Amino acid sequence: MDGLRITFDGRRYSFETGRPVRIGRSSESDVVVGDPAVSRQHAQLVWGSQGWVLESLGRSGTFLHGQPVARLVVAEAVELALASPQGPVVRVEPVAAPGPAATSVLDGAQPPGAALWEPAGPAASAGIAPDPPPGGAPPAAAGSAGGPGPGMPGSRDELVTAFQILVPVKSWLTDPGWRQGLRLLVIPYALLPLVFLALFSSSGNLSTPGWAYSLYIAPLWAIAFWLLIRPGPVTKVELLTGAAIVAWVLIWMTIVTAPVDGHLNPKSFGDALGIGFNEEITKALPILIAALLLLRLRQVKLDVRMWMFLGTIAGLTFGVREASLYTTQAIEHIAVAASVHSANLAVLGALSFAFRVFVDGFQHAIWAGVAAFFIGMAVNYPRRRVQLILFGITIAAVLHALNDWIVSNVTSLWPWIVLQALSLLLFLGYTISAASIERNVRRTPLFRGDSILMERFTEPGDAGGS
């Protein structure tokens, strides 16, 4: 008894010893289970001295009779539930190794560990040809009616069969791997630049490329911030809050921020500081209002890391809108360079365009993320609410003011690079230590008050907190 048979979703797979048999959501698994709760590499069966041994690899677990199993010697047929006791069920049973008659199903001898697919259930007993397994239909047996017989390597049917095996389009289109976010993201990011050329090549509005490519880059930064901050699951509340923050920033920029900035000159540090506070308040105010409304109207407190992430969304929104203005200037530089045949001006214009598209939103996002972290702390710890809000916004505004002042007064770019590195270090520091900072604040009477984390755990010494 050294073979293995696995039955799932009406299909039966047979395996020989020689390599592990993989079960999971990945299209590269030997047995593909498309349920989204199942891990990509959920379990594997390995042949050893004890026979076939199941090893559970998925974070959501594998269950036998409702109980989780991490390792199981498969001595007899068992039915295993994946991801939960009510999850998809696979039947696993050790069987006698397939003999020569069995290997002929796939038209010849198979390498050790190769899967032999055969129908299971009523279709098998009725002689009805079932749907093909993932990866393409098995070839017809040699000499079957209508199929190529021995000695006919160039027949049309044989070529069609080979093509279906090597280019399994039908299998690709039905594979659950298409539901994975990364594959779905690759499609628009590969095609959008060509779509931009098709749609906007005849546009005379110089802000159009800035809008298009800033919006193209912003989601990539949002994904990076999500991975860095790890704010937790997104529900309808977070989605609606994020949409409201984006709308606020765009409207406030037009009504308030742009007119105020128009009266300030960043060559003066005082005016640069005014610009810093003006723009950082634009991004911070919707965060504060949203947090207070959720607290007052719905008694909902979000984790400070979620507010930090939503702050980066506010910053990206600000950066996209601002980039559409600055990229216009960069394109004008390129046009001037073309008219005077200046390679230096052309390079400067191209680099300026790329900087605004790739980095402008990022800059605003990291400053806004730091300010939003302190706003989240202020909402969760009302005892020092005003001080925490002012401290967070001031940090962001001062960094912003130094940035604008350096750009306006210093010819060398290196001080600007150093300041950007300092801003980035500060932001990354808070992404790393957000939870530990809040834990320490919760333990300190100076700050301690109602906290979202206090609702999750109770620690010794915290029970008597004010």
Side-chain angles (χ1 to χ4, degrees):
M1 301 281 285
D2 56 358
L4 184 72
R5 177 177 297 152
I6 298 179
T7 305
F8 172 69
D9 196 23
R11 294 191 178 115
R12 185 178 297 148
Y13 306 83
S14 297
F15 300 91
E16 298 177 16
T17 59
R19 64 176 178 83
V21 177
R22 301 164 298 175
I23 302 173
R25 199 178 74 248
S26 170
S27 58
E28 298 177 357
S29 299
D30 299 292
V31 179
V32 178
V33 181
D35 192 292
V38 174
S39 299
R40 288 177 53 78
Q41 291 85 35
H42 196 95
Q44 69 175 5
L45 290 115
V46 181
W47 175 261
S49 58
Q50 297 176 290
W52 286 101
V53 178
L54 171 87
E55 299 173 350
S56 181
L57 308 176
R59 289 182 295 180
S60 49
T62 302
F63 298 81
L64 175 64
H65 304 310
Q67 300 299 316
V69 292
R71 187 176 184 275
L72 176 69
V73 177
V74 183
E76 58 183 0
V78 293
E79 292 189 346
L80 301 168
L82 308 182
S84 73
Q86 295 77 38
V89 174
V90 295
R91 178 181 173 85
V92 181
E93 55 184 317
V95 294
T103 59
S104 66
V105 172
L106 290 184
D107 199 19
Q110 298 299 308
L116 305 178
W117 178 85
E118 54 183 294
S125 59
I128 300 172
D131 293 335
S144 62
M152 299 175 64
S155 69
R156 178 183 175 186
D157 288 346
E158 188 176 67
L159 291 175
V160 170
T161 300
F163 183 81
Q164 290 173 343
I165 292 173
L166 297 174
V167 190
V169 176
K170 183 178 179 181
S171 173
W172 290 341
L173 294 177
T174 58
D175 194 290
W178 287 111
R179 294 196 293 267
Q180 296 171 8
L182 182 59
R183 284 191 177 92
L184 292 176
L185 191 66
V186 166
I187 297 172
Y189 273 84
L191 298 179
L192 272 177
L194 292 174
V195 173
F196 291 160
L197 284 174
L199 294 179
F200 306 132
S201 58
S202 60
S203 173
N205 187 342
L206 294 183
S207 67
T208 299
W211 272 112
Y213 284 96
S214 296
L215 287 171
Y216 180 77
I217 297 300
L220 298 180
W221 281 126
I223 293 171
F225 291 139
W226 175 269
L227 295 174
L228 287 169
I229 298 171
R230 301 183 303 278
V234 172
T235 66
K236 184 178 179 181
V237 171
E238 286 83 3
L239 288 174
L240 292 176
T241 302
I245 289 169
V246 169
W248 172 289
V249 171
L250 292 174
I251 295 170
W252 192 268
M253 284 182 72
T254 302
I255 297 174
V256 177
T257 313
V260 171
D261 281 355
H263 292 87
L264 299 172
N265 183 359
K267 286 186 175 292
S268 163
F269 185 75
D271 281 7
L273 194 59
I275 293 172
F277 273 102
N278 181 36
E279 297 191 1
E280 294 308 317
I281 288 173
T282 300
K283 296 175 281 183
L285 198 54
I287 302 293
L288 177 59
I289 292 174
L292 293 177
L293 286 177
L294 286 176
L295 181 62
R296 296 286 187 247
L297 301 181
R298 302 190 60 177
Q299 288 74 52
V300 172
K301 290 182 178 181
L302 301 183
D303 192 293
V304 293
R305 288 171 295 184
M306 180 57 73
W307 289 120
M308 189 176 187
F309 175 71
L310 290 172
T312 65
I313 298 302
L316 287 172
T317 304
F318 193 103
V320 167
R321 177 68 181 88
E322 188 177 72
S324 69
L325 304 175
Y326 283 115
T327 51
T328 299
Q329 300 174 8
I331 294 172
E332 289 172 345
H333 279 126
I334 296 175
V336 170
S339 66
V340 299
H341 304 287
S342 171
N344 288 340
L345 280 178
V347 169
L348 178 61
L351 291 177
S352 297
F353 179 88
F355 167 77
R356 290 299 176 181
V357 165
F358 284 95
V359 183
D360 205 314
F362 171 78
Q363 282 183 319
H364 285 286
I366 61 175
W367 294 329
V370 171
F373 170 79
F374 283 97
I375 290 172
M377 294 279 287
V379 171
N380 286 355
Y381 297 90
R383 189 172 181 183
R384 292 290 181 269
R385 177 168 290 169
V386 174
Q387 294 94 323
L388 286 169
I389 293 171
L390 290 177
F391 184 69
I393 294 177
T394 299
I395 289 177
V398 169
L399 289 171
H400 193 148
L402 286 170
N403 175 84
D404 289 3
W405 183 84
I406 289 173
V407 171
S408 301
N409 292 279
V410 180
T411 56
S412 172
L413 292 177
W414 290 107
W416 190 20
I417 294 171
V418 170
L419 180 69
Q420 290 302 314
L422 177 62
S423 300
L424 184 59
L425 178 64
L426 189 69
F427 173 80
L428 292 176
Y430 282 114
T431 66
I432 292 169
S433 59
S436 62
I437 290 173
E438 183 164 4
R439 195 160 51 243
N440 291 331
V441 166
R442 187 177 68 249
R443 294 169 176 169
T444 305
L446 177 65
F447 298 100
R448 193 167 59 208
D450 291 336
S451 166
I452 188 172
L453 293 187
M454 291 181 69
E455 297 163 7
R456 294 181 181 176
F457 340 98
T458 300
E459 295 185 3
D462 285 344
S466 55

